Amino acid sequence: MTIPTEPIGSIPRPAYLVSGLGDFAAGRIDANALAELEAKALAETIGRLEETGSPVLTDGEQGKPSFATYPLAGSDSLAPDGVVIPFADGHTRQLPKLTAGPFRYQTYADEYLVRAKKLTDKPVKQAVIAASAIGLIYPQDGIDGYSNEQFVADLVDEAAADIRRSLDAGADSVQLDFTEGRLSLKLDPSGGLLQLFVDLNNRVLERFTEQERQRIGVHTCPGGDQDSAHSLDVDYSGLLPTLFRLNVGRVYVQLASESDPEKALRIIAEHLRPDQRVFVGVIDPIDPRVETAEEVRDRVLTAARHIPVDRLGTCDDCGFSPFADDVSTSRDTAFAKIAARVEGTRLAAETLGV
């Protein structure tokens, strides 16, 4: 396939794993029993992704508690009353709050990658959480004896190590999940917070060579949880020009659920750097209807009117279940949508003669 196509990350967990997570939280099963359920779910997920024809796989985040908090799981320096993220349907998600330093990751993403790579010969990409999202756990009133400057220095070290370990473990690419980018414009319409986020992430990215950054990407979306978003009402024109200042080689942009995709594509075309490829979202994980391959084809052809084909790829708008307890989309629907993306991208490449 000459137009690359990739998943973004999470796949809905099987019912037995969702139940197992609840049993583990309640103390009814131990960590070994949960690990067995996660291993079973991972093997099934890899197998079903291969059946879709996807040329690049992910672990489906079967072992992650959420796309955002996996580095924190098990830490004894956290309180539950951190930043609250409101979604359009009224439900919320709450981040933990750091209570003491020094800050260290408890889990690095290469642990998930290594398990997945043992199950397939296909390339496997690895999603990691952006440093800017983890930065939200530092309390506004500070921590005695542990300044924000010290925290940020530790955070940059840890976020860079997270990426480095996945690259060294053989990830086809490493994707920074940056959903807080669009959300930041709701919190601060001036764009100041967004620029702080980009600057922080670029501090992490400067630890890598130009060649390595070609294997590092960033994913933006308006959030997706329980069939609701947190910032879809924020105009993309405030985000996209700054997004492309991130020093990455790949940019994954939610587009299928966008009300005016042509407007977004014009902005992307203006700001896409010569060393970057953009992967446009052609599947909406929140929409329960499975897109046809022909619909996907047409979305790719629309993008190709604005983006040079040799710098164009396709993806899903977002993961299908970024939080482990989100069962709003079935596994069968997710895999059917992925299969439509793969086939529709193939049809578009055929139409374009590439």
Side-chain angles (χ1 to χ4, degrees):
M1 183 176 293
T2 52
I3 299 177
T5 188
E6 298 182 5
I8 287 300
S10 60
I11 300 293
R13 285 75 169 170
Y16 63 77
L17 178 54
V18 175
S19 296
L21 289 165
D23 290 340
F24 177 72
R28 290 188 290 268
I29 63 173
D30 62 16
N32 289 333
L34 178 61
E36 290 181 5
L37 295 176
E38 290 174 344
K40 179 182 177 183
L42 173 61
E44 291 177 358
T45 298
I46 292 291
R48 293 195 66 177
L49 278 173
E50 288 183 327
E51 290 172 1
T52 68
S54 182
V56 176
L57 311 182
T58 74
D59 72 335
E61 301 186 359
Q62 302 298 285
K64 282 184 179 179
S66 83
F67 79 105
T69 60
Y70 70 88
L72 310 175
S75 172
D76 57 4
S77 298
L78 297 172
D81 55 337
V83 172
V84 175
I85 301 172
F87 286 79
D89 65 355
H91 87 276
T92 63
R93 293 284 184 176
Q94 187 166 24
L95 297 177
K97 180 175 70 178
L98 190 68
T99 58
F103 173 71
R104 297 290 184 269
Y105 277 25
Q106 304 301 301
T107 300
Y108 296 93
D110 66 308
E111 295 185 22
Y112 309 114
L113 174 69
V114 169
R115 293 174 200 150
K117 283 178 63 64
K118 290 178 180 178
L119 299 172
T120 183
D121 293 327
K122 286 192 171 185
V124 180
K125 72 183 288 188
Q126 182 58 53
V128 303
I129 188 63
S132 50
I134 298 295
L136 295 172
I137 70 171
Y138 189 85
Q140 288 190 343
D141 54 357
I143 297 174
D144 288 343
Y146 189 55
S147 68
N148 184 62
E149 291 75 17
Q150 290 172 304
F151 166 70
V152 170
D154 288 339
L155 172 58
V156 169
D157 286 344
E158 292 296 285
D162 202 23
I163 298 170
R164 172 67 62 196
R165 289 171 61 130
S166 286
L167 289 176
D168 290 349
D172 182 65
S173 65
V174 176
Q175 169 192 293
L176 278 65
D177 286 330
F178 186 49
T179 183
E180 69 278 9
R182 198 164 181 177
L183 179 62
S184 73
L185 292 168
K186 179 173 283 191
L187 303 174
D188 175 18
S190 76
L193 180 58
L194 174 61
Q195 189 59 58
L196 287 174
F197 283 171
V198 168
D199 290 344
L200 174 58
N201 291 327
N202 274 339
R203 282 183 60 181
V204 175
L205 293 163
E206 69 184 14
R207 303 283 184 93
F208 300 89
T209 66
E210 183 177 346
Q211 184 176 13
E212 287 169 335
R213 287 196 293 267
Q214 288 301 302
R215 293 170 58 199
I216 302 173
V218 65
H219 167 239
T220 184
C221 74
D225 181 45
Q226 299 178 18
D227 286 347
S228 185
H230 55 52
S231 52
L232 188 58
D233 56 333
V234 173
D235 196 314
Y236 245 160
S237 61
L239 171 67
L240 292 174
T242 304
L243 180 74
F244 283 92
R245 295 177 197 159
L246 281 163
N247 293 323
V248 294
R250 307 170 184 215
V251 184
Y252 303 87
V253 179
Q254 161 266 341
L255 206 61
S257 57
E258 198 64 22
S259 61
D260 191 352
E262 294 253 18
K263 176 184 175 181
L265 284 164
R266 288 192 294 270
I267 299 171
I268 291 169
E270 181 181 354
H271 294 279
L272 180 66
R273 295 181 348 211
D275 60 340
Q276 293 175 326
R277 180 188 293 272
V278 62
F279 290 74
V280 297
V282 292
I283 292 292
D284 180 2
I286 289 179
D287 185 349
R289 185 183 63 85
V290 177
E291 294 87 345
T292 68
E294 290 73 21
E295 285 178 280
V296 171
R297 176 200 61 199
D298 292 345
R299 289 172 178 173
V300 181
L301 295 178
T302 296
R305 293 201 297 267
H306 301 270
I307 310 297
V309 177
D310 63 350
R311 298 168 64 197
L312 179 63
T314 67
C315 61
D316 310 309
D317 271 3
C318 189
F320 289 89
S321 181
F323 297 88
D325 61 355
D326 181 4
V327 295
S328 57
T329 300
S330 73
R331 280 170 70 80
D332 287 345
T333 295
F335 288 118
K337 282 174 169 279
I338 291 168
R341 169 173 50 77
V342 172
E343 176 61 11
T345 303
R346 185 194 68 78
L347 290 175
E350 187 177 81
T351 301
L352 292 165
V354 295

